[in-house]
Amino acid sequence: HMVLEVEYSGLLKRARSMIPRASVKEASFRQGNFSLWIEPLLSDDAGHYEALVRYGKETQRCQVKLDVVTAAVTVNPPGLLVETEPLWLNCNSSHSAKLVGVQWFHNGSLVPISSRFQAHHGALSISRLSVSDSGPWHCELTYSDNEKVFATFNLQILGLAGPASPVVYAAAGSAADLPCTLNRDPKASGILGVSAHWSHLAGRDLETWAIFRNGSKGSFNLHLSEVGQGDSGQYRCAVSIHATTITRDVTLAVITVTPSIKGPVAEGSHLLLICSLTHPRGHERFQWRQLSS
Ligand SMILES: *[C@@H]1O[C@H](CO)[C@@H](O)[C@H](O)[C@H]1NC(C)=O
Ligand SMILES: *[C@@H]1O[C@H](CO)[C@@H](O)[C@H](O)[C@H]1NC(C)=O
Ligand SMILES: *[C@@H]1O[C@H](CO)[C@@H](O)[C@H](O)[C@H]1NC(C)=O
């Protein structure tokens, strides 16, 4: 059937099914290059094409066979993945020539083969997913006939948001919120029954502090209404999603100011105010300020 026709007058006719995917490039056309552009290409466009060019009494023809190769990245296991889980990415295409090479790219950079990323023919295995593995994965298949075929997949990974080992600073007597939030709402992805278990490392033992079920929009933050020095230290939030548990260690550092003299201070005496911080990281900056008299 007719795909596209350009009349002598310049009038362009197109088959309804091809509108507006088929076109000719006007500048090349005027120079005698009558190439047909099809964009975007569909697998149904495969087949034999013929172009007829008529001028005066002459007709010239050229024939082109169009093969449409489909390619896709498939993910195993399918569905939303959770941080630390293993994963297989499969890259395959319908091209029939012999496959000679496969390359994988993540966010546009070539993936180095390492203990975490292993290549097996057309597949890539990732042993422990991390949130940073989210985003577009792109595979490039090279065939013995020098054809290259590409496919992309946008990977989404459920994991904990924010820095890997956060430190929360709080003044003694004030409230503190320890963060433990998923990077997306599991309910919105159809994952129900997510729970979080908070524990506090007291001495050498992990004491259960709180257990949350479901959470609100993936948030399992622990609110402490009034912290004291004894509350400082390491907390662990363990979030269970299906059979996978992901953890986050949060350090609570408590700041206290202690005067060297207890009770009322006589004018003229020597007073020392000591600012202390439990669990200093070493990069903290201290600033003294008098709030009001
Ligand atoms: C003809 O034009 C098309 C589109 O502009 C271009 O891709 C192609 O290389 C040209 N062919 C020749 C032989 O110049
Ligand atoms: C493409 O990958 C899927 C999923 O792993 C697999 O079932 C299928 O056999 C593959 N097809 C080809 C042509 O390799
Ligand atoms: C959590 O969600 C599950 C599944 O929707 C539900 O059965 C359960 O009652 C919920 N638990 C709480 C404490 O809301």
Side-chain angles (χ1 to χ4, degrees):
H1 63 267
M2 193 272 280
V3 174
L4 178 146
E5 185 177 336
V6 184
E7 290 189 345
Y8 184 69
S9 63
L11 183 71
L12 187 96
K13 293 179 182 169
R14 271 188 279 219
R16 195 176 290 266
S17 64
M18 283 298 208
I19 294 172
R21 294 189 294 116
S23 64
V24 287
K25 297 273 181 251
E26 232 182 286
S28 331
F29 199 84
R30 270 189 259 111
Q31 291 166 5
N33 174 342
F34 310 115
S35 300
L36 178 70
W37 278 82
I38 306 174
E39 200 180 355
L41 188 69
L42 304 180
S43 51
D44 283 350
D45 296 330
H48 292 273
Y49 286 74
E50 184 178 58
L52 299 179
V53 181
R54 294 196 191 91
Y55 49 103
K57 284 183 180 163
E58 277 204 62
T59 298
Q60 298 221 352
R61 60 186 69 213
C62 38
Q63 291 183 330
V64 177
K65 179 173 177 270
L66 176 66
D67 272 331
V68 180
V69 170
T70 55
V73 175
T74 52
V75 175
N76 194 6
L80 188 65
L81 293 142
V82 182
E83 204 175 18
T84 74
E85 287 180 343
L87 172 77
W88 279 86
L89 290 172
N90 272 292
C91 183
N92 57 30
S93 88
S94 62
H95 194 46
S96 53
K98 187 177 184 301
L99 183 66
V100 294
V102 184
Q103 282 191 313
W104 287 92
F105 298 85
H106 178 225
N107 284 326
S109 317
L110 185 68
V111 175
I113 298 307
S114 63
S115 55
R116 209 162 73 80
F117 301 113
Q118 297 207 344
H120 313 262
H121 305 287
L124 182 78
S125 72
I126 307 178
S127 59
R128 264 178 82 85
L129 278 173
S130 89
V131 171
S132 63
D133 295 326
S134 303
W137 285 81
H138 177 97
C139 70
E140 183 182 304
L141 301 174
T142 308
Y143 288 91
S144 55
D145 58 359
N146 285 327
E147 283 295 337
K148 281 187 190 290
V149 177
F150 308 92
T152 340
F153 188 87
N154 198 18
L155 197 62
Q156 295 193 335
I157 298 162
L158 185 63
L160 290 166
S165 21
V167 180
V168 173
Y169 296 92
S174 67
D177 271 300
L178 309 189
C180 185
T181 300
L182 293 169
N183 59 358
R184 64 184 69 232
D185 183 2
K187 265 192 212 134
S189 307
I191 298 178
L192 301 171
V194 177
S195 64
H197 182 127
W198 274 98
S199 45
H200 181 202
L201 192 65
R204 282 194 182 165
D205 301 319
L206 270 177
E207 280 177 7
T208 294
W209 200 267
I211 294 174
F212 296 115
R213 304 220 183 270
N214 299 339
S216 160
K217 297 200 168 92
S219 172
F220 298 96
N221 294 357
L222 180 65
H223 180 78
L224 302 173
S225 53
E226 199 184 327
V227 299
Q229 266 183 331
D231 299 320
S232 70
Q234 211 174 12
Y235 288 76
R236 175 168 295 172
C237 173
V239 179
S240 303
I241 307 156
H242 300 158
T244 304
T245 299
I246 51 181
T247 60
R248 168 79 27 111
D249 287 341
V250 183
T251 306
L252 174 65
V254 175
I255 310 160
T256 41
V257 173
T258 354
S260 58
I261 302 170
K262 300 269 184 269
V265 183
E267 203 173 15
S269 53
H270 176 90
L271 178 72
L272 194 63
L273 292 175
I274 304 154
C275 177
S276 60
L277 173 69
T278 66
H279 306 88
R281 280 287 183 94
H283 56 58
E284 290 86 358
R285 287 194 316 127
F286 291 84
Q287 193 178 58
W288 279 98
R289 222 182 275 175
Q290 183 179 18
L291 293 180
S292 68
S293 40

